[in-house]
Amino acid sequence: MSNAIERKQTAASGETLVDVQDLKKYYGGNGFFAPPPVKAVDTVNFEIKRGETFGLVGESGSGKSTLGRTLVRLEQATDGSVSFDGTDITELSGSELKKWRSNAQMVFQDPESSLNDRMTVGEIIREPLDAHGWKTKSERRERVTELLSEVGLREEHYFRYPHQFSGGQRQRIGIARALALEPEFIVLDEPVSALDVSVQAKIITLLEDLQEEFDLTYLFIAHDLSVVRHICDRVAVMYLGKIMEIGDTEELYEDPQNPYTQALLSAIPRPDPTVTIDRITLPGTPPSPRDPPQGCQFSTRCPAKIRPEAYADVPDETWDAVEQLREVIRERSRMSLSATDQMRKRLGRFSRFDDIDETVEDLFEELSVPQAVQDHVQHAVELVKDGEPEEARTYLRDEFGGVCDTTRPDHHQVSASGRESYCHRHDAEYDDVTAVLSKYSDGA
Amino acid sequence: MSDTNTPNDSYDGDQSSLTSRLAANPRPALRWAAVAAVLLVLEFGAFIGGTLTVLHALVLGVTGLIAAMLGLTISKGIETSINEVQASILSQIDSVRSTAEGIPTLLSRETIPNQGHRLGPDGPWAETFMGLEPRLAWLLRVTLIVVYAFVVAYWLFRGWDIFRIYYRQADWTPTDDIINRLRSHRWGVFGVLIILLFLTMALFGPALGPTTVEANIQSPYGHYVEYYSNETGQVENVTVGNANFNSKSKGAGTNVGPMSYDSFDRFHPFGTLTNGRDLFTFMMGGARTTITVVGIAIGMSAGIAAALGMISAFYSGTVDLGVLTVADGITSVPQLLLLIMVSAVFAGHWITNVLNGGFLLAILFGLTGWPGLWRAVRGPALQVAQEEWVDAAESFGQRPALIMWKHMFPYVVGYLLVYASMSAGGIIIAMSALSFLGNGLGVTAPTPAWGRAIDLGQNYVSTPSWHISLIPGLMIVALVTGANALGDGLRDAIDPETESGSGEQTAAGGGA
Ligand code: SF4
C-alpha cells in the first residue's frame, strides 16, 4: 500500500502524454458481401499521464491487445485519434512515422515468439539502433552492452542465442530491445503472464526500476486485476471493445462500481477477509465481437442486468431461466446450417433444433412460470424448431429485453477523483449495482 | 538458466573484428589455407575452366537480354553499344579460359592417358599410362578425380569448422545444430554425396571421359585414333568418325556394351551410342549443361518464389491475391506448349546459342517454375509473419525488406530448399523430355543432352544395346533421388519437428 502512495508521487506531473479520443478499430466488414466487421475496439476514450503506469485489463477477446497495438501503430485505427505529446499519430506515415516510432515501444507477451531465434542477443537488441542509424557502429555495440546490464543480463550474453535462455531472461532481452531507442512510452502486453510465478515478481520489479530510472510511461496490459494492482496508478477495465470502468487503481479495487469490475474482482482471492465480495461466476461466454449485443456490451452475462418493469414480479429463478434460454438461443443463431438442413427447413421437415424442448424443460422444471412468460417462451421455441433461431432471439429481446438490452449506457462519473463506469445502473432511476449484486450473491 | 548447451566460455569481452582475431591466432587458419592452396593448384586449370564456362554463358545471356530489352524500349544505339561491351568481355573471358585450360592439371587425360593401342593381338599396350590396359588407366583416373573432389569438399567443410572453433565470436549458433543434425541424417548425407558426385562430373567432365566431346562428338573427322588391326596385323590409323561408324550399338550383331573395347582399341565404360559415339563421354559432356541449366532455373524460380512468398505473407490481403492471380495464370499455361512456342519464336535467335540453347531453357523454367515453390513457401511465410518478433521489428520501424530478409527468410529457407530440390527432378526430366522430343527444342544437337541419349536408345531397350537408354535413365533417377534426399535432409536439419514452443503458447493463452 505504501508502495502505491510513493508511486503516485513519481507520477505526479499530471501532464497528458497520450490522449485517446473516440478510438475505433474494426476488422473486415468493408466490401459489399463481407460479414459485419469485428469491432475489436469500439469508441474508446482515455488519457495516459506522463510518468504513470496505466493498466488495461480484460479477458482475451476484449480488445485490450488491439488497443495497445494501435497505440504503437502496429494497427491502423479505423476512426478516432491518438495524440501523443500533441501529435495525432494515427495520421503519421513514412519517415515521420518511423521517427516517431522511437518514442513508443512494445514489450510482447510471449518471450518464445518475441525474439528471433536465428539472431544473437546482441543483434536483437542492436536492431532498433541499426534501423534508426543511431550513432556509429561501435557506439551501438557499447549501448547494447550497457542495455544488457541495465536489464540484469551480462555482457557476455551478446553472442549467445535466445535458445540458450530461460523465459524470464528472454523477457529481459525483449525489454532491453524496447529500451534501446530511449522511448518515453512503452506498451507492456501481458509481459509476465507467460512466465513462472517466481519470475513474474522479478520482471515487475525490473520494470518498476526502469520506469524510475528513465522516466518511462507504461501502458500495462493484463488479463486479470491481480497483477495490475501492484504496478498501475490508474486502470481501465475492458469488455468487448469497450471500457467498462476506468479510474484510480486503489479506488477501483476498494469500491468497484461497474458490475463487470465487481465480477472480475470477486474472482481474485483477497488477503483481507473483511472486504469479502462473494465470488460472482459469470454465465456463458462473451459474445462474438462480430455480433455484439445491441445495448450494453455486457448485457448477455451481466448479473445486475436491469429487468423491464413488466416482469418485476417474476421470481428470480424463473427470470434466470429466461436469461439462460436467451443465451442458448443466441448460441443457436450463431450456428450456420448445413446445406441439407437448409433444404429440410424449406421442406418443413427440419428437426435439428428439436432438442430445444428438452432444454426448456430442464430450465423451467420445478419453477413457477407465469402464464405471460410461458406463452412467449413457447412462441420462441416454435420459432427455433422451425429453424429460425435468429427470429426467436429478436422476439425474446423485444419481449423480455430491458434498457440494458436495447440501449447503450453512458459513462457515468462515479467518484470524486473522476472515476467513470459504463452502466445504466448509475442512472438515478435504477437500483445501485452493489445493492443488486449483494442480493444476487446471497441468492446464489 | 534452463539451457543445456551452456557455452564453454571464451567470451573475452572484446568486440573485435574478424581480421584482428585472425591476426591474434593465425596458425590454424594458415595451416588450413596451405592445404587448400595445394589442393587448388593441383587442379587450378580445371576449376577456372569450369567456372569460366558458366560465367561466359551468364555474361552472354544476361547482357544479351538487357541489350534486347533496352533495344526494344529505348533505342537501337544502346543495344549495339551493349553488344560491343559484351563482345569485349566475352573475348577476354574466352582468352583467360583457354589459357586456364592450358595449365596442366595433375589429374588430366594428359597425365594419366587411357587412349592407346595394342602392339599385338594380345597386348601389350602402348601410349597408355604406364602401359596399363585402357580400362585400368581410365578407372584409375576417374577414381583419383572423384577422391580429389571429395577431399576438396571435405576441406571446405573443414574450413568452416576451423572458423567456428577458432575465430567465431559466438560459441554456438543455430547453424551448428543444423549442420550437426544434417551430419547424422543418413539419407541427407547420401543426398549430399550424390550431388557432390554430379558436381564433380560437371566440373571435371572433360577429364573424366575416356575421350573428349570435341574429338568424339563435335568433330570426329578431324581427329585420329591408332589401333592394332587384327586383319592387317599392324597398327593402323583411322579418323574417329570412321571408327565411330564401325562401333555402333544397334542391337544384336553390332553392339559395344558397357565396360568393353571396340575393334579400334577404344574403351567404352558405358558402351557406345547408336552412332558409335562414346556414351560415357556424352554423359559427362551433358552433365555440365544439365547441371548449369538446372542450377540457373532453380536459382531463379526459388528467388522469385521466396521474394513473392514473403511479400504475400507480409502484406497479405490484396497483394497476396495479386500474386495468386499471376501464379495461377502462369500455372494454367501448359509448360510444354509454352516451351514449344517460345522455341519457335526464338528459332535462329542468338540467345539459342548461349549454353547451346540451355540458357533460354533455364530462363523459361525459372520464369514458369516459381508458382509451385511460391505456394509451398507461402504457408510457412504466413506463419512466420504472425510471430511477435515481426511485430517487434515493425514497431521500431525496421524497413519491410529487412524484416522479410532477417526475420522471415531464415524460417522459410528450409521449406524452399526442400521444394526446390524436389523441383530439380522435374526440371531435369522436362529437359530430358524436350531433347527427347527433338524438333530443335532444348539443347541443340550435337551438344550432349541426356534426354537425347534416352531417345536414341529407345528402339534398342530389349536388345543387347539396352545400355543406351538405361544408363542415362538411371543417372537421371540418381540425380533426382540425390536432390530429394538432400532436400529431406536439409528440412529435417533446419526444422526438427517444430519445437516445443507451441505447448507453452497454449498454456499462456489459456490463462486469459
Ligand atoms: S448497463 Fe446493464 S448490463 Fe450493462 S453493466 Fe450495467 S447493469 Fe449490466
Side-chain angles (χ1 to χ4, degrees):
Chain A
M1 187 75 63
S2 62
N3 215 340
I5 292 159
E6 264 171 38
R7 208 180 321 106
K8 240 167 272 163
Q9 284 163 350
T10 62
S13 78
E15 189 186 331
T16 302
L17 179 67
V18 183
D19 186 4
V20 179
Q21 293 282 343
D22 293 329
L23 190 70
K24 294 192 179 97
K25 176 63 194 173
Y26 295 174
Y27 291 104
N30 39 16
F32 213 61
F33 298 107
V38 172
K39 301 184 174 179
V41 176
D42 195 5
T43 322
V44 159
N45 288 286
F46 64 94
E47 286 176 358
I48 302 175
K49 306 253 179 281
R50 200 182 288 280
E52 80 172 338
T53 302
F54 185 86
L56 196 56
V57 178
E59 295 165 293
S60 59
S62 62
K64 58 187 194 301
S65 286
T66 311
L67 180 53
R69 291 166 60 90
T70 314
L71 296 195
V72 294
R73 270 302 292 272
L74 277 176
E75 304 282 348
Q76 173 65 336
T78 309
D79 198 13
S81 71
V82 177
S83 69
F84 185 94
D85 232 349
T87 326
D88 183 1
I89 59 132
T90 60
E91 306 276 315
L92 294 180
S93 64
S95 61
E96 277 185 323
L97 175 61
K98 183 169 175 178
K99 221 173 118 206
W100 172 77
R101 282 194 184 284
S102 61
N103 290 326
Q105 289 290 293
M106 185 150 175
V107 173
F108 294 86
Q109 173 181 7
D110 180 3
E112 291 298 323
S113 161
S114 63
L115 306 177
N116 183 347
D117 282 316
R118 306 281 158 96
M119 288 163 75
T120 62
V121 169
E123 285 167 337
I124 289 173
I125 301 175
R126 209 184 61 214
E127 204 191 350
L129 300 170
D130 291 342
H132 282 259
W134 191 88
K135 298 193 184 168
T136 66
K137 203 166 175 195
S138 60
E139 278 171 305
R140 276 179 233 157
R141 286 193 154 205
E142 231 162 77
R143 168 99 177 117
V144 173
T145 19
E146 200 181 291
L147 284 164
L148 280 171
S149 62
E150 210 70 77
V151 297
L153 294 169
R154 293 196 306 275
E155 58 176 273
E156 65 260 37
H157 291 145
Y158 193 101
F159 293 110
R160 301 219 185 134
Y161 283 81
H163 268 316
Q164 298 167 297
F165 294 90
S166 65
Q169 286 172 314
R170 288 176 71 116
Q171 202 57 307
R172 285 171 195 267
I173 299 168
I175 293 170
R177 173 178 60 192
L179 285 176
L181 290 166
E182 303 179 309
E184 276 180 86
F185 176 55
I186 300 185
V187 171
L188 307 163
D189 187 4
E190 304 199 35
V192 296
S193 64
L195 305 177
D196 284 351
V197 183
S198 56
V199 185
Q200 287 188 355
K202 287 187 196 157
I203 297 290
I204 296 270
T205 318
L206 171 69
L207 288 169
E208 285 179 325
D209 292 347
L210 291 170
Q211 180 171 41
E212 196 162 321
E213 193 175 341
F214 300 111
D215 296 328
L216 298 168
T217 306
Y218 285 152
L219 175 72
F220 191 102
I221 299 173
H223 64 257
D224 68 46
L225 280 159
S226 54
V227 188
V228 162
R229 182 173 194 185
H230 301 290
I231 183 166
C232 295
D233 305 298
R234 287 191 310 133
V235 62
V237 179
M238 271 186 96
Y239 185 82
L240 218 63
K242 199 81 193 166
I243 291 184
M244 300 303 288
E245 185 163 3
I246 176 170
D248 182 275
T249 311
E250 245 354 271
E251 219 184 274
L252 187 137
Y253 259 87
E254 293 306 325
D255 177 30
Q257 288 296 315
N258 191 281
Y260 182 60
T261 320
Q262 300 207 2
L264 274 190
L265 277 174
S266 78
I268 310 176
R270 296 193 152 230
D272 182 357
T274 55
V275 266
T276 37
I277 296 183
D278 286 301
R279 194 186 166 97
I280 304 170
T281 323
L282 296 178
T285 49
S288 153
R290 202 182 279 288
D291 179 23
Q294 185 187 333
C296 170
Q297 271 80 353
F298 191 43
S299 63
T300 60
R301 298 166 78 200
C302 181
K305 191 169 152 185
I306 297 163
R307 219 192 276 185
E309 275 307 312
Y311 296 99
D313 304 334
V314 176
D316 285 346
E317 285 90 18
T318 314
W319 190 252
D320 283 347
V322 169
E323 290 288 356
Q324 278 177 43
L325 176 67
R326 292 181 61 189
E327 175 73 20
V328 169
I329 292 179
R330 193 177 306 113
E331 288 293 331
R332 287 285 153 87
S333 68
R334 266 200 243 169
M335 288 197 276
S336 50
L337 293 182
S338 67
T340 358
D341 281 336
Q342 299 272 14
M343 186 61 89
R344 290 212 184 103
K345 192 166 125 184
R346 211 159 289 166
L347 295 174
R349 295 183 41 202
F350 182 74
S351 59
R352 229 185 96 206
F353 288 160
D354 279 2
D355 58 339
I356 190 78
D357 277 332
E358 267 170 56
T359 316
V360 170
E361 221 181 287
D362 284 350
L363 284 172
F364 292 96
E365 204 182 28
E366 296 171 16
L367 294 178
S368 72
V369 186
Q371 193 56 43
V373 174
Q374 178 106 49
D375 290 346
H376 293 310
V377 166
Q378 204 46 50
H379 185 80
V381 165
E382 291 307 322
L383 282 172
V384 172
K385 280 205 249 174
D386 289 345
E388 306 286 357
E390 191 66 44
E391 272 171 40
R393 181 179 160 189
T394 323
Y395 179 80
L396 286 180
R397 186 175 65 214
D398 292 346
E399 280 311 321
F400 296 127
V403 59
C404 293
D405 284 299
T406 55
T407 323
R408 291 264 151 107
D410 292 323
H411 278 102
H412 295 266
Q413 181 161 346
V414 290
S415 84
S417 66
R419 185 148 53 100
E420 288 184 355
S421 166
Y422 177 78
C423 178
H424 285 300
R425 285 224 177 257
H426 305 305
D427 270 340
E429 58 184 293
Y430 303 112
D431 288 343
D432 179 67
V433 181
T434 321
V436 177
L437 280 184
S438 65
K439 197 172 79 192
Y440 172 89
S441 40
D442 285 349
Chain B
M1 264 184 108
S2 68
D3 49 313
T4 44
N5 36 23
T6 308
N8 34 11
D9 142 74
S10 98
Y11 179 84
D12 40 10
D14 79 329
Q15 304 271 359
S16 56
S17 65
L18 180 61
T19 33
S20 61
R21 270 171 280 139
L22 276 174
N25 179 20
R27 287 198 54 189
L30 286 179
R31 227 177 306 143
W32 181 83
V35 177
V38 170
L39 284 173
L40 183 68
V41 164
L42 287 181
E43 288 286 303
F44 187 68
F47 278 119
I48 297 293
T51 323
L52 287 182
T53 309
V54 175
L55 188 69
H56 182 272
L58 279 180
V59 170
L60 181 58
V62 173
T63 54
L65 278 184
I66 294 174
M69 267 190 271
L70 291 180
L72 281 180
T73 50
I74 305 176
S75 78
K76 274 275 167 226
I78 296 188
E79 189 177 345
T80 24
S81 60
I82 292 185
N83 282 339
E84 277 161 21
V85 175
Q86 177 198 50
S88 78
I89 299 179
L90 289 182
S91 67
Q92 276 177 13
I93 295 182
D94 256 343
S95 70
V96 176
R97 181 171 54 170
S98 50
T99 341
E101 278 171 351
I103 302 173
T105 53
L106 184 64
L107 302 170
S108 69
R109 183 183 316 287
E110 287 75 29
T111 357
I112 310 178
N114 68 316
Q115 265 175 318
H117 54 85
R118 289 171 298 169
L119 294 171
D122 298 310
W125 291 85
E127 291 175 36
T128 61
F129 181 64
M130 304 199 330
L132 283 171
E133 210 186 318
R135 182 167 59 102
L136 295 179
W138 172 82
L139 264 179
L140 178 69
R141 191 172 73 228
V142 168
T143 316
L144 285 178
I145 290 176
V146 171
V147 168
Y148 171 80
F150 280 91
V151 169
V152 169
Y154 168 75
W155 200 250
L156 287 177
F157 176 69
R158 175 99 192 124
W160 177 78
D161 235 12
I162 285 178
F163 165 71
R164 103 168 146 167
I165 295 169
Y166 295 102
Y167 302 108
R168 195 175 63 190
Q169 278 171 312
D171 299 293
W172 173 88
T173 73
T175 325
D176 293 11
D177 275 6
I178 292 176
I179 289 186
N180 289 341
R181 279 191 294 260
L182 185 60
R183 265 169 143 172
S184 56
H185 192 286
R186 289 207 190 157
W187 181 232
V189 170
F190 167 76
V192 172
L193 295 181
I194 294 281
I195 298 297
L196 266 180
L197 198 59
F198 276 85
L199 284 178
T200 312
M201 287 181 205
L203 197 58
F204 299 104
L208 284 169
T211 174
T212 62
V213 173
E214 162 68 15
N216 192 252
I217 296 169
Q218 307 279 30
S219 48
Y221 287 95
H223 292 79
Y224 296 87
V225 285
E226 287 186 323
Y227 69 103
Y228 175 81
S229 165
N230 288 334
E231 282 157 36
T232 61
Q234 42 183 289
V235 176
E236 303 277 352
N237 199 329
V238 68
T239 62
V240 174
N242 274 333
N244 284 351
F245 189 81
N246 292 308
S247 318
K248 293 176 176 176
S249 290
K250 290 198 156 220
T254 46
N255 187 45
V256 181
M259 299 305 276
S260 64
Y261 293 93
D262 62 14
S263 39
F264 300 91
D265 290 348
R266 297 184 302 173
F267 175 67
H268 300 286
F270 284 179
T272 62
L273 284 159
T274 52
N275 47 21
R277 292 168 181 169
D278 180 58
L279 178 57
F280 192 86
T281 308
F282 186 93
M283 291 307 289
M284 292 308 112
R288 192 175 274 187
T289 327
T290 307
I291 286 169
T292 314
V293 170
V294 171
I296 296 175
I298 293 205
M300 251 178 93
S301 45
I304 298 176
L308 289 180
M310 288 189 293
I311 287 174
S312 288
F314 185 76
Y315 292 107
S316 66
T318 333
V319 178
D320 190 20
L321 203 67
V323 178
L324 178 71
T325 317
V326 177
D328 279 348
I330 290 178
T331 348
S332 66
V333 182
Q335 201 182 36
L336 197 59
L337 189 72
L338 185 77
L339 288 166
I340 292 174
M341 270 167 25
V342 173
S343 318
V345 170
F346 281 93
H349 192 270
W350 58 265
I351 200 170
T352 51
N353 296 329
V354 189
L355 280 178
N356 305 101
F359 186 71
L360 183 63
L361 265 190
I363 300 263
L364 279 177
F365 281 120
L367 289 180
T368 54
W370 65 264
L373 289 180
W374 170 77
R375 242 174 268 272
V377 158
R378 183 176 161 270
L382 276 171
Q383 234 170 15
V384 194
Q386 299 301 315
E387 297 283 358
E388 283 180 346
W389 66 73
V390 173
D391 285 337
E394 224 179 315
S395 78
F396 56 70
Q398 184 60 284
R399 280 186 289 135
L402 274 178
I403 295 184
M404 289 181 223
W405 173 246
K406 289 170 87 170
H407 299 294
M408 292 170 68
F409 185 68
Y411 293 86
V412 169
V413 65
Y415 296 90
L416 193 65
L417 286 172
V418 178
Y419 288 98
S421 63
M422 290 186 181
S423 68
I427 295 177
I428 295 167
I429 291 167
M431 250 179 81
S432 305
L434 276 179
S435 39
F436 181 85
L437 283 175
N439 299 330
L441 286 174
V443 179
T444 44
T447 311
W450 292 358
R452 203 160 45 246
I454 300 181
D455 176 37
L456 287 171
Q458 63 170 332
N459 291 329
Y460 305 100
V461 176
S462 56
T463 70
S465 302
W466 49 264
H467 60 269
I468 306 175
S469 282
L470 188 69
I471 292 178
L474 285 180
M475 281 181 70
I476 291 174
V477 170
L479 178 51
V480 171
T481 314
N484 283 354
L486 177 63
D488 280 350
L490 284 174
R491 181 198 47 211
D492 293 347
I494 291 175
D495 284 292
E497 240 49 75
T498 355
E499 289 102 27
S500 51
S502 55
E504 290 166 40
Q505 266 167 19
T506 3

